[in-house]
Amino acid sequence: MMRGLMESVFRPERLDDIFARHAKVQYQRELLFSTLVNLLSLVVCGIHPSMNAAYRKKADEMNVTRNAVYEKLNGVEPQVSRAVLKETAAELSKLMDTMGGKSAPLLPGYEIRILDGNGLAATERRLKVLREVASAPLPGKSLVVLDPERRLAVDIFPCEDGHAQERRLFSQVLSVVQAGDVWIADRNMCTQGFLVDIAQRDAAFVIREHQNLPYQALSELTLIETVDAGEIFEQRIELQYDGHRVELRRIVLRLATPTRHGDTDIVVLTNLPTTVADASTILRLYRNRWRVEGLFLTVTMNFEGEIKTLAYPKAALFSFTLALVAYNILAIIKGALASVHGVETIEETVSDFYVVDELQGVYRGMMIAIPPEHWQSFQTLSLIAMAEQLKALANQVNLKRFRKQPRKSKKKKKKPLVHDPKKPHVATARLLSGQ
């Protein structure tokens, strides 16, 4: 399933067309963009440990040097990276709809989009400008958009400046906001301009309040109901920005137990009317923001999206984008399984780690047993044919091999451990035997 999807998603004609339409500085000669994607995707998916290792495996098939590969990789423009994710995600969204593996809608009648930022981890100091710098070199950051119903990363807004504010990218996000959308985000996205501009586009938002946001209260804070988590209050407020006035609902959950960060209140702002979503529904929508955190966790733990040896910002952002594409392919596999075994069963029991571990372990041997030319038929399959093929394969999967390992609750330590400098070591065997 994974190999067939990679053949379809990374088909050369489509990738080279994306490059031709979006690249402004780079060009293609001996080394095609599709060849570069093929190499890096094997590294991102954990099939090969590095770009050098992947190049060595493919060197006989390529007519370019290793330096040419790295020069091409280091110059991939951010808009090309974004186009690869956005256009492949659009196709995979249709495939998910055809298979019927979507999750239940969070708010029927609305397109939900979850927005969050991701800063890439520090790289090695392989560039000359970094060798005399003691600070950790950050290769970039991005804003990522998740479609929670289809479980797909559908857009990315990359930025080469690792120290840039996320708010610098808001204008790009607003360019894709459409009427009927509901955008969910954390407090970092809570600015007057961003909220008002979303409302001006006939879209809605459910965004946690930033403590520095200025607003005018239109009503008193009123108790709505009491739930297990605490008390829910609501009030009407007004925002003013650039000559526009927008009336919002301010939902406050006063927690019965403070969070681990010491927060006693969770405050969420929305412009959804009460006829569409009451206060409890708004808080439930916001709680689903954790799904994008799960995306980042899967990409970080199961794929090589942050390759420390890729110090150039363009290369680092491109590798992270391909990791998001790999995540989407994994989501389609789980969608195929869900269409056969049930959405709830797959979401609650199937482990991303064990699925990816299986893929990484089997891939090399499979490619030896089945040469690449036998996979090319996947490039020409229609969405319906691909969906039927995936569902047929999903029906043969033994889910017991990929079950999540349930975690037991940790026992609280009775007292803090005290280090005795006179006894720096201890024999485990003696402790076990009671000596």
Side-chain angles (χ1 to χ4, degrees):
M1 294 166 71
M2 179 73 171
R3 184 65 185 89
L5 283 167
M6 289 180 68
E7 193 71 36
S8 176
V9 171
F10 296 135
R11 55 184 183 271
E13 296 79 7
R14 193 254 292 278
L15 292 175
D16 292 331
D17 177 64
I18 290 175
F19 182 87
R21 286 186 286 110
H22 295 277
K24 297 180 180 179
V25 177
Q26 279 192 322
Y27 53 85
Q28 297 188 107
R29 286 185 180 175
E30 293 82 5
L31 179 58
L32 297 176
F33 179 67
S34 56
T35 303
L36 183 68
V37 173
N38 180 267
L39 283 178
L40 185 57
S41 65
L42 296 178
V43 180
V44 166
C45 291
I47 310 303
H48 294 301
S50 65
M51 276 296 291
N52 183 49
Y55 171 78
R56 286 176 178 271
K57 291 291 183 181
K58 301 281 187 178
D60 294 339
E61 307 171 15
M62 303 171 65
N63 298 320
V64 296
T65 65
R66 180 178 59 183
N67 287 341
V69 171
Y70 276 102
E71 287 179 5
K72 186 83 169 182
L73 176 60
N74 295 335
V76 175
E77 298 162 73
Q79 70 270 14
V80 175
S81 297
R82 182 192 175 196
V84 170
L85 175 65
K86 189 174 181 180
E87 296 191 22
T88 57
E91 181 178 301
L92 292 178
S93 295
K94 295 178 182 178
L95 179 57
M96 184 73 82
D97 293 346
T98 304
M99 290 190 304
K102 297 191 296 183
S103 300
L106 298 180
L107 190 64
Y110 290 83
E111 286 289 342
I112 306 296
R113 294 291 181 263
I114 303 178
L115 179 69
D116 200 12
N118 179 75
L120 298 180
T123 65
E124 295 179 0
R125 295 176 175 82
R126 296 201 168 200
L127 305 183
K128 185 176 180 180
V129 295
L130 300 176
R131 291 171 188 164
E132 303 300 324
V133 178
S135 303
L138 302 179
K141 61 172 48 178
S142 60
L143 293 180
V144 178
V145 182
L146 173 69
D147 177 351
E149 187 175 346
R150 297 173 181 84
R151 303 181 297 279
L152 296 173
V154 294
D155 209 344
I156 184 174
F157 304 94
C159 177
E160 296 180 53
D161 186 350
H163 271 294
Q165 289 259 349
E166 293 175 344
R167 299 175 181 183
R168 173 178 166 182
L169 305 174
F170 283 179
S171 61
Q172 298 180 45
V173 177
L174 290 168
S175 68
V176 302
V177 174
Q178 298 181 358
D181 288 350
V182 177
W183 289 76
I184 302 175
D186 204 359
R187 67 186 108 196
N188 289 339
M189 315 296 170
C190 186
T191 67
Q192 287 176 288
F194 192 55
L195 300 184
V196 171
D197 285 342
I198 290 177
Q200 290 297 311
R201 286 165 170 77
D202 294 326
F205 54 81
V206 176
I207 295 181
R208 190 169 179 179
E209 179 188 274
H210 194 286
Q211 62 179 359
N212 294 329
L213 180 74
Y215 64 85
Q216 180 180 355
L218 300 179
S219 68
E220 297 293 327
L221 204 59
T222 304
L223 177 65
I224 302 299
E225 63 177 312
T226 301
V227 295
D228 293 340
E231 296 177 326
I232 299 177
F233 294 81
E234 182 173 342
Q235 73 176 141
R236 293 185 300 107
I237 66 171
E238 183 182 74
L239 286 185
Q240 299 182 23
Y241 179 78
D242 196 24
H244 298 286
R245 296 172 179 266
V246 177
E247 185 174 322
L248 309 179
R249 297 164 60 197
R250 183 171 180 263
I251 315 296
V252 180
L253 172 61
R254 289 185 177 168
L255 298 168
T257 303
T259 67
R260 60 181 178 178
H261 301 296
D263 295 332
T264 56
D265 292 346
I266 293 179
V267 184
V268 178
L269 304 179
T270 185
N271 61 335
L272 283 169
T274 55
T275 54
V276 172
D278 58 17
S280 296
T281 302
I282 297 300
L283 292 172
R284 178 180 56 80
L285 285 172
Y286 177 74
R287 282 198 297 270
N288 279 276
R289 198 196 67 83
W290 67 267
R291 297 193 185 194
V292 74
E293 301 290 348
L295 180 156
F296 292 143
L297 181 63
T298 296
V299 168
T300 303
M301 300 299 294
N302 300 317
F303 297 108
E304 298 298 327
E306 299 180 351
I307 303 174
K308 292 185 178 181
T309 56
L310 298 182
Y312 281 98
K314 289 183 175 66
L317 289 168
F318 184 46
S319 67
F320 178 70
T321 302
L322 283 191
L324 292 177
V325 177
Y327 169 88
N328 284 348
I329 293 176
L330 176 62
I332 291 296
I333 292 176
K334 294 176 68 175
L337 294 172
S339 67
V340 174
H341 302 281
V343 174
E344 186 176 348
T345 298
I346 301 304
E347 289 185 344
E348 293 183 0
T349 64
V350 172
S351 164
D352 290 347
F353 173 81
Y354 290 122
V355 173
V356 174
D357 180 67
E358 175 80 3
L359 299 173
Q360 294 171 342
V362 169
Y363 186 93
R364 287 194 185 188
M366 182 179 63
M367 292 308 295
I368 294 173
I370 308 175
E373 57 267 20
H374 293 286
W375 296 95
Q376 293 177 0
S377 60
F378 281 93
Q379 297 181 16
T380 57
L381 287 181
S382 65
L383 286 177
I384 295 177
M386 176 66 82
E388 292 301 322
Q389 182 68 51
L390 292 175
K391 290 167 68 174
L393 293 170
N395 198 42
Q396 304 176 41
V397 174
N398 181 6
L399 294 182
K400 293 181 179 179
R401 299 175 57 189
F402 309 107
R403 283 181 177 172
K404 294 179 181 179
Q405 181 65 32
R407 290 188 178 183
K408 297 181 180 179
S409 57
K410 293 184 179 180
K411 296 181 179 179
K412 293 184 178 181
K413 295 181 180 179
K414 296 181 179 180
K415 58 181 179 179
L417 300 178
V418 179
H419 176 68
D420 185 355
K422 296 181 180 179
K423 294 181 179 180
H425 308 101
V426 64
T428 304
R430 293 187 181 184
L431 295 176
L432 291 172
S433 63
Q435 297 183 18

